[in-house]
Amino acid sequence: MTKPSTICVLASASPARATTLRNAGIEPLIRVSAADEAAVLAAFDDRDGLQTQGKVHALARVKAEAVIPTLTVAELEDFAGQHGFDSAKAAIVVACDSMLEVNGELVGKPHSPARARERIRALSGQTVTLHTGHAVSLVRVKGETVSVEATRVKAVATDVHFTELTNAEIDAYIDTGEPLEVAGAFTIDGLGGPFIAGVTGDPHSVVGISLPLVRSIATELGVFWPSLWNRL
Amino acid sequence: MTKPSTICVLASASPARATTLRNAGIEPLIRVSAADEAAVLAAFDDRDGLQTQGKVHALARVKAEAVIPTLTVAELEDFAGQHGFDSAKAAIVVACDSMLEVNGELVGKPHSPARARERIRALSGQTVTLHTGHAVSLVRVKGETVSVEATRVKAVATDVHFTELTNAEIDAYIDTGEPLEVAGAFTIDGLGGPFIAGVTGDPHSVVGISLPLVRSIATELGVFWPSLWNRL
C-alpha cells in the first residue's frame, strides 16, 4: 500500500462534506475561514438572471482564498505526522458552495418550520437543480513557506428528482429538525433520502462535494488521486 | 416527535445496506437466513437472455421468505423495547439482491486482484446498469404468532457512468482490497466514489437498497414511512 503524500485541506464546516471525503478514504484537515460572501454576491446584478454557476464559482473561490493564507507549515507537518505521511510537501485546498435552483429561484436554508414546509411542498414531485462550485488549489511547502501553485474553479449541476410527499410525511420530516438548517430544506444522505426518487448526475455533489470533479481537477493539477488516501 | 411503531427487519448481511438505512433514520433488526440462491438461479434458462430483472426479483423474494419464518415475537418485542417503540405490532421485512450488467454480461464479486483489474478496466469510461431487486413484506404480531400480511417485489435499474481510470489508479484501488469482495468490483459509497462521474436513477440503489422504492412499497402496504424512524 502506498503511503499518502498529498494532504487534503477542506475549507468547509459542513459535516456532510467531511463525511463524504472520509468515506472515500480521505481524512481532511478542516479549516474554515471567514470569507465575505455578501460582498461576493453583491457584485452580481440579478437583472442579468440568476447567474447561479457564476455565484457558486465565485463563492467557492473566495472561500479557498480565505483559507490558504492561514495555513502554516507547522500545522501541515503536524497533520502529516498524525496521518501516516512521510512528509508534508503538497496539499490541495478544496472549497465548495452549493445553491439550489427551484422554479427559477435560488433557495437557501429555511431556518423556520413554516418556511421549510413551504419549500418542501414546492419540491414534492418536482425536479430541481443543485449547483455546486468547487475551487481546488495546489499548495506546496518549501522551507518555511506555504505557496499556491495553481487554482482551478469548476461548477457542476445535478438534477434531483423528488417523489411526492404527503402532508403527514412533510410534517414528520420537519418535526425532526433536519431540514431546517440545510440548503434547499432537504438532505439526500439523511432522512430525506427516501423522498428523492433519483438524480441525474453526481450524487455526491448533492451532498455538497463532487468527488469525481475534485479528482478530475486534482489530476489536472498533477496530483495522483490515491496519494490523498490517508484512511484506508 | 412521534414514536417509532414499525420495525424494519433487514434480511441482508451487507454493511452498506445497513448503513444506508441508519443514515435515513432507521436502525434495522438484521436477520440473515440461508436462502438457496443457486436453486433459484437454476430455474432460469440463459438461452432466454440475461433475465436480470427476473433474477433479482426471485432472489430478493427467496431471501425475504427465508427470513420471515425465523422471526419470533420475543425478539421483535426485545428489539422494540431497546429502540423506543411502545409495542412491536408491525414490521416490514426488506430483502434485496443486486446484479451488475456490463456489456450484456452479469458480473459478480471478482474475489481475485487479477479479475478485479480486468473488471475495472472494462468499467473505465463506460456506462453500466445496476439492477436491484427488493422484496418487502408486511408482518404483524398477533398474540404469540408472527404472520405475513402481504409481500411486494419490485426491481429498479440504475445507470452508473464511470470516469476513465488510469492503470496506476486501478492498481492503487485494487491494492486497498476494497473492490475484491463487492459486486461489480466497485463501490460508490467508498473509495470508488470519485471514479463514478454520475448516475441516472437512485444512487442509494447503487449502494444496494433503493430507499425511495422501499418507501413506496411500504406506503402501498399501509406503512407510514416516518413510523420506521427509530434513530433520530
Side-chain angles (χ1 to χ4, degrees):
Chain A
M1 213 90 83
T2 44
K3 280 198 158 193
S5 57
T6 312
I7 294 171
C8 178
V9 178
L10 177 63
S12 168
S14 149
R17 289 194 181 108
T19 299
T20 301
L21 285 171
R22 285 188 193 113
N23 289 342
I26 299 168
E27 181 65 45
L29 191 166
I30 296 173
R31 170 60 54 85
V32 188
S33 196
D36 190 348
E37 301 190 21
V40 172
L41 292 176
F44 288 86
D45 186 335
D46 282 343
R47 287 173 298 188
D48 298 332
L50 289 182
Q51 303 172 81
T52 315
Q53 295 270 326
K55 287 174 186 166
V56 296
H57 255 255
L59 287 171
R61 181 186 288 276
V62 78
K63 288 176 185 178
E65 285 172 350
V67 158
I68 292 168
T70 73
L71 295 172
T72 67
V73 174
E75 72 177 327
L76 290 171
E77 282 177 349
D78 271 3
F79 185 89
Q82 284 158 26
H83 292 88
F85 292 67
D86 275 336
S87 67
K89 296 278 174 251
I92 56 170
V93 178
V94 181
C96 308
D97 190 80
S98 300
M99 289 189 176
L100 186 72
E101 215 177 293
V102 182
N103 303 327
E105 247 189 281
L106 289 182
V107 164
K109 299 177 185 178
H111 299 303
S112 76
R115 184 167 293 192
R117 185 168 294 110
E118 186 188 303
R119 294 272 169 81
I120 298 170
R121 280 190 184 147
L123 295 175
S124 177
Q126 301 300 308
T127 291
V128 299
T129 306
L130 191 87
H131 297 266
T132 304
H134 300 72
V136 180
S137 298
L138 177 63
V139 303
R140 294 212 185 264
V141 173
K142 284 176 191 151
E144 287 311 302
T145 59
V146 180
S147 57
V148 187
E149 200 168 286
T151 297
R152 298 268 192 291
V153 188
K154 287 187 187 175
V156 62
T158 304
D159 284 342
V160 183
H161 316 291
F162 279 83
T163 62
E164 302 218 349
L165 285 83
T166 64
N167 286 337
E169 284 175 323
I170 294 174
D171 287 345
Y173 186 34
I174 291 169
D175 268 359
T176 67
E178 192 194 81
L180 301 188
E181 298 306 326
V182 292
F186 77 95
T187 59
I188 190 170
D189 54 332
L191 299 175
F195 303 130
I196 295 171
V199 306
T200 305
D202 174 25
H204 293 109
S205 76
V206 182
V207 179
I209 179 167
S210 173
L211 294 174
L213 184 61
V214 176
R215 165 178 166 268
S216 151
I217 304 176
T219 305
E220 268 180 49
L221 295 174
V223 173
F224 178 51
W225 184 257
S227 77
L228 292 154
W229 291 340
N230 63 350
R231 43 172 288 144
L232 295 179
Chain B
M1 213 90 83
T2 44
K3 281 199 159 192
S5 58
T6 310
I7 294 171
C8 179
V9 178
L10 176 62
S12 168
S14 149
R17 290 196 180 107
T19 299
T20 301
L21 285 171
R22 286 188 191 112
N23 288 343
I26 299 168
E27 180 66 44
L29 191 168
I30 295 173
R31 170 60 54 85
V32 188
S33 197
D36 190 349
E37 302 191 22
V40 172
L41 292 177
F44 288 87
D45 185 337
D46 282 345
R47 286 171 298 186
D48 298 333
L50 289 182
Q51 304 173 81
T52 316
Q53 295 269 328
K55 287 175 186 166
V56 296
H57 255 254
L59 287 171
R61 180 186 288 274
V62 77
K63 288 176 185 177
E65 285 172 352
V67 158
I68 292 169
T70 72
L71 296 172
T72 66
V73 175
E75 72 177 328
L76 291 171
E77 283 177 349
D78 271 3
F79 184 89
Q82 285 159 25
H83 292 89
F85 291 68
D86 275 336
S87 66
K89 296 279 173 248
I92 57 169
V93 178
V94 181
C96 308
D97 190 81
S98 300
M99 289 190 176
L100 187 72
E101 212 175 294
V102 182
N103 304 327
E105 247 188 282
L106 290 181
V107 165
K109 299 177 182 175
H111 300 303
S112 77
R115 185 169 290 194
R117 184 168 294 110
E118 186 188 303
R119 294 269 168 82
I120 299 169
R121 280 189 184 148
L123 295 174
S124 176
Q126 301 301 308
T127 291
V128 298
T129 307
L130 191 87
H131 298 266
T132 304
H134 299 71
V136 181
S137 298
L138 177 63
V139 302
R140 294 215 186 264
V141 173
K142 284 175 193 152
E144 287 310 303
T145 59
V146 180
S147 57
V148 188
E149 199 167 288
T151 298
R152 299 268 193 288
V153 187
K154 286 186 187 178
V156 62
T158 303
D159 283 343
V160 183
H161 315 292
F162 279 82
T163 62
E164 301 218 350
L165 285 84
T166 64
N167 285 336
E169 284 174 324
I170 294 174
D171 287 345
Y173 186 34
I174 290 169
D175 268 359
T176 68
E178 193 194 80
L180 302 189
E181 299 305 325
V182 292
F186 77 95
T187 59
I188 190 170
D189 55 331
L191 299 174
F195 303 130
I196 294 170
V199 305
T200 305
D202 173 25
H204 293 110
S205 76
V206 182
V207 179
I209 178 166
S210 173
L211 295 174
L213 184 61
V214 175
R215 165 178 166 268
S216 151
I217 303 177
T219 305
E220 269 180 45
L221 295 174
V223 173
F224 178 52
W225 184 257
S227 77
L228 291 155
W229 291 341
N230 62 350
R231 42 172 290 143
L232 296 177

